[in-house]
Amino acid sequence: MKILNKKYCVTVLDNICFLLVGFLITGCSFGGKLITNLDKPIIDGPYVFEQVDSRLAIGVCEGRIKRFEFSYLPEQVIEYCGKSNTIGKKQPLIINQLVYQGDFNVAAVSDIHGQFRLFYKLLQNNNIIDIDGNWNFNTGHLVVTGDVFDRGVEVTEALWFLYKLENQAAKAGGKLHYLLGNHEVMVLNDDLRYVNDKYLIAAQALKIPYAQLFARGSVLGDWLRSRSVLIKVNGMLFAHGGFHPYLVEQKMSLNTINDIFKQNLVKSELNSSRKEWGDYLHTDNGPIWYRGYFKNEQATLTQIDNLLRHFEITHLVVGHTTQDQIETRYNGKVIAIDARMKAGIRGEILLWRNGEFSRGTIEGQQFLLKEANQANKSSRL
Ligand code: ZN
């Protein structure tokens, strides 16, 4: 991002620049016309870019463009627009481990779609985070099965929150697994069909295309590129969309699926177009798009049993195809966890304690899981 390596102190009277020596922070606040969405001043960011030995943060705060540079530290807290963001080491984390087994609790949420406040409340009322928003799940594993991006207006907040929570979970001996969904992959590939206007307006004001705010060399962009597309925790296999029975026929392993998927993540970063498995795993029957447990050419119970046997799992847990509540299919073997958080009204979290499943609501109530009404096979989108 050559454009970001310039110094940004400007001469226009309306703009303010500052320099704080000691911790070395230089910054500018740009005046002029307020940047708004639906007449409300936009708050978005920060988008943080790695430089040689410093970092550059940019964003829109209360309708004004902000840019500031600060010295690089392996772990640092930056204040931006009245909020703190914790930023970790420069190197992207490479996630190789795809299987976890142990004596800990598990929770899972899917399809947040920019509904950060709702997601926060859901975690808080189900004791995954405490009153201050910090990790409260001890050695538990929280799985977020993708689609944090698009539709809503609090995508960046949700991303930074997950970024922070991952760090806190690791320190507590727990784990946050944020998996890639189709909307993460769409944004990384500059497919902006579902991006809320707010983000396009902010990106335009910043003069950086939205997808480039998550380019390689950006803190969130590198972090997103390090995500896996699947994870197996205590015998439960999680992915955003699901696993097509063809993967069993072809004896594909979890490692191979994840590796090929990741090697083909961002088209513009490949030497040639996606081919064969690289293409298969990124299209309709791949793990981020598949809906065959719910609609289209539906998988049979025998095929589900074959998937469980092949991957040595007890359950398949998926988001992507929206339900009114978390519910099971195929005699409890498939669990559908996208509980319509995207509508911005409610949402649910899957809880697994001592081998027992339940679903937690926004209010913190918990219910046993129920099998979906098989008479109503069509998924409600
Ligand atoms: Zn999806």
Side-chain angles (χ1 to χ4, degrees), residues 34-153:
L34 264 192
I35 303 154
T36 59
N37 178 37
L38 304 174
D39 293 333
K40 277 203 250 164
I42 288 178
I43 298 176
D44 184 28
Y47 297 98
V48 182
F49 294 86
E50 306 287 2
Q51 303 188 120
V52 179
D53 51 10
S54 64
R55 283 168 161 160
L56 175 69
I58 59 170
V60 181
C61 174
E62 299 292 354
R64 308 276 182 210
I65 293 174
K66 300 274 181 198
R67 299 179 194 270
F68 57 98
E69 235 179 298
F70 51 98
S71 304
Y72 171 83
L73 290 174
E75 185 169 312
Q76 55 198 150
V77 178
I78 61 161
E79 299 296 328
Y80 172 82
C81 210
K83 285 199 181 139
S84 300
N85 293 283
T86 309
I87 306 180
K89 278 200 256 239
K90 191 183 276 186
Q91 299 83 3
L93 187 71
I94 307 296
I95 300 173
N96 290 319
Q97 190 174 346
L98 297 178
V99 180
Y100 290 84
Q101 186 77 34
D103 183 18
F104 49 76
N105 296 326
V106 182
V109 187
S110 196
D111 296 73
I112 296 156
H113 283 302
Q115 297 294 338
F116 168 63
R117 264 172 281 189
L118 213 48
F119 175 53
Y120 190 92
K121 199 170 157 193
L122 181 66
L123 295 186
Q124 211 164 42
N125 287 344
N126 287 280
N127 300 316
I128 307 295
I129 59 171
D130 65 18
I131 192 84
D132 299 315
N134 294 314
W135 182 259
N136 192 34
F137 198 36
N138 306 316
T139 57
H141 287 218
L142 171 65
V143 187
V144 175
T145 55
D147 281 8
V148 172
F149 275 89
D150 286 349
R151 306 187 196 279
V153 295

Side-chain angles (χ1 to χ4, degrees), residues 111 113 146-147 151 181-183 240-241 288-289 291 319-321 338:
D111 296 73
H113 283 302
D147 281 8
R151 306 187 196 279
N182 57 308
H183 286 268
H240 181 65
I288 58 170
W289 288 101
R291 295 189 197 270
H320 187 52
T321 305
D338 172 1

Side-chain angles (χ1 to χ4, degrees), residues 293-312:
Y293 308 149
F294 307 96
K295 58 191 286 196
N296 305 336
E297 203 180 301
Q298 268 189 266
T300 64
L301 185 56
T302 306
Q303 287 174 322
I304 296 293
D305 284 334
N306 290 341
L307 280 160
L308 300 190
R309 200 174 309 115
H310 175 70
F311 292 126
E312 298 177 311

Side-chain angles (χ1 to χ4, degrees), residues 10 12-16 29-36 41 60-65 205:
V10 289
V12 181
L13 269 180
D14 208 10
N15 302 331
I16 308 158
S29 180
F30 294 73
K33 199 166 167 258
L34 264 192
I35 303 154
T36 59
V60 181
C61 174
E62 299 292 354
R64 308 276 182 210
I65 293 174

